[in-house]
Amino acid sequence: MVEHRMPQDPYLRVTDLRVRFDTEDGVVKAVDGVSFTVERGRTLGIVGESGSGKSVTSLAILGLHNARRTVISGEISVGGRQLVGLPDEEVRRLRGRDMAMIFQDPLSALHPYYSVGKQIAEAYRVHHPRAGRREARSRAVDVLDRVGIPQPAKRFAQFPHEFSGGMRQRAMIAMALVNDPDLLIADEPTTALDVTVQAQILDLLADLQAEFRSAIVLISHDLGVVSQVADDVLVMYGGRAVEHGSVARVLRTPQHPYTWGLLSSVPSLHGDADADLVPIPGNPPSLINLPSGCAFHPRCRWADDRSRLEVPGLRDAGESGHLVACHLSAGDRERIYRDEIVRVGVAR
């Protein structure tokens, strides 16, 4: 029985999500106790380096992990329906209709043997079994036109290799939107696109959200992209959430040393144009053998004995809704950010 959802409830609710993979080398703790919510009409940006758990989280929401090798625990609620433990067939009915995903590489996600339009029409007919070919084709052409592909009736019959990179990404968005899902997950939707096309794709997502009031999860390693389109941001490191809050608060007054590092390693319009970028030292941790305590402590200049021994939990960072997982006191974080971080030109 589907439980009724109150209007003010988030459309997507993830609570204490844990994802484990069994491998020959050991158990990969890909996601370790992540929680967040996304309401209709809002966008959550999830950021972090490769291996932080961003894409694994999104695939868990859509039920796309190999059930034989993956252990998932916690709660994932979409539209008031719990997905963890739901039979694969029931999750499949929701996938594409209630929730959909824009995959990172459209050239590999689209089948090279079938025309783009046929693949979009097939996605429509899966959830509308009574629809005929003519209706499905009309719907596919309409959605291709809606995402800004010129001459959509002609493009319907073309193959993925005949599309440019930007057009393939638009086609992937069209496929995700063909059934008007309420939840849209975009995994690095602007990767390998030039800045002009990137801006067009981001504007398109914003326009479509305004039209359909979809809840959007945007996965990216680029804080600049997230700052343009997201309402809230979740910073992940080593499979865990280290900072969470509104984009304005997290980017203007970041509280976690890892977030400082992400901001320091990208160019800023407000800093010294001749200043060197400051990379984060070291490498992301192994998800099989995570460091003890705070996973970021081997790369953190301000780590102490407590950081090496005790895993910090998310706690209030001093402003309502802004959470941080760090053992530094609020006063120390403010002093370090003001005296050492802002000085290199990352303040937004």
Side-chain angles (χ1 to χ4, degrees):
M1 179 178 178
V2 180
E3 59 185 270
H4 293 288
R5 180 171 57 92
M6 297 298 291
Q8 66 272 22
D9 286 351
Y11 188 76
L12 170 65
R13 183 185 296 276
V14 175
T15 306
D16 196 27
L17 178 64
R18 301 175 189 271
V19 182
R20 305 282 191 271
F21 301 118
D22 290 326
T23 70
E24 294 180 356
D25 296 325
V27 178
V28 177
K29 299 178 181 179
V31 179
D32 193 13
V34 171
S35 301
F36 59 86
T37 61
V38 188
E39 299 176 1
R40 293 284 299 271
R42 293 184 67 83
T43 298
L44 171 72
I46 302 181
V47 299
E49 295 169 291
S50 296
S52 61
K54 309 184 302 296
S55 294
V56 173
T57 298
S58 65
L59 293 174
I61 294 171
L62 272 80
L64 292 175
H65 287 301
N66 187 335
R68 295 182 179 180
R69 300 183 58 186
T70 310
V71 178
I72 300 177
S73 62
E75 295 183 358
I76 300 173
S77 172
V78 174
R81 186 163 191 173
Q82 293 295 335
L83 302 189
V84 176
L86 206 62
D88 290 344
E89 185 60 34
E90 293 190 41
V91 176
R92 195 174 298 117
R93 292 194 192 100
L94 298 175
R95 192 166 54 234
R97 186 191 65 194
D98 294 71
M99 54 184 180
M101 185 168 183
I102 303 170
F103 291 95
Q104 183 172 351
D105 183 5
L107 188 58
S108 60
L110 291 167
H111 200 295
Y113 183 77
Y114 300 99
S115 71
V116 170
K118 186 173 183 178
Q119 295 180 63
I120 296 173
E122 180 184 7
Y124 180 75
R125 295 187 70 183
V126 165
H127 295 284
H128 299 81
R130 295 185 180 181
R133 292 184 179 180
R134 181 175 298 179
E135 179 184 340
R137 184 185 189 282
S138 175
R139 174 63 176 171
V141 170
D142 177 66
V143 75
L144 283 172
D145 180 60
R146 182 171 292 177
V147 298
I149 290 182
Q151 299 179 293
K154 177 182 177 181
R155 295 292 187 178
F156 177 93
Q158 292 184 334
F159 293 84
H161 70 271
E162 298 180 90
F163 279 43
S164 67
M167 286 180 60
R168 279 195 295 267
Q169 192 61 274
R170 290 174 183 270
M172 284 300 302
I173 296 174
M175 185 178 295
L177 294 175
V178 71
N179 291 298
D180 296 333
D182 292 317
L183 171 63
L184 183 63
I185 299 176
D187 188 0
E188 301 278 8
T190 58
T191 296
L193 300 178
D194 63 64
V195 292
T196 302
V197 177
Q198 173 179 290
Q200 293 172 350
I201 295 298
L202 295 178
D203 288 342
L204 173 62
L205 289 175
D207 291 342
L208 293 170
Q209 183 181 55
E211 181 178 355
F212 296 107
R213 290 197 70 252
S214 302
I216 295 180
V217 176
L218 175 67
I219 298 169
S220 180
H221 64 277
D222 190 337
L223 283 168
V225 169
V226 170
S227 68
Q228 292 181 55
V229 298
D231 300 293
D232 305 289
V233 60
L234 177 73
V235 182
M236 292 188 66
Y237 184 82
R240 299 168 182 159
V242 297
E243 190 161 359
H244 187 198
S246 69
V247 164
R249 286 173 178 163
V250 171
L251 297 189
R252 289 183 184 276
T253 56
Q255 296 291 310
H256 197 280
Y258 179 59
T259 312
W260 298 341
L262 291 177
L263 289 168
S264 301
S265 61
V266 297
S268 171
L269 294 175
H270 304 282
D272 183 355
D274 297 324
D276 294 332
L277 298 181
V278 182
I280 302 175
N283 297 304
S286 165
L287 296 179
I288 295 178
N289 296 304
L290 280 169
S292 60
C294 175
F296 188 62
H297 86 254
R299 307 171 72 184
C300 181
R301 292 167 47 197
W302 303 279
D304 56 15
D305 289 340
R306 185 184 181 190
S307 300
R308 298 180 182 93
L309 298 174
E310 182 182 336
V311 178
L314 280 173
R315 58 180 179 177
D316 185 61
E319 295 183 74
S320 177
H322 190 173
L323 305 174
V324 64
C326 181
H327 290 309
L328 288 171
S329 68
D332 284 341
R333 292 196 304 270
E334 181 180 356
R335 175 185 56 79
I336 293 169
Y337 182 70
R338 182 187 65 246
D339 297 342
E340 302 186 44
I341 307 301
V342 174
R343 181 168 44 81
V344 302
V346 304
R348 295 306 189 259

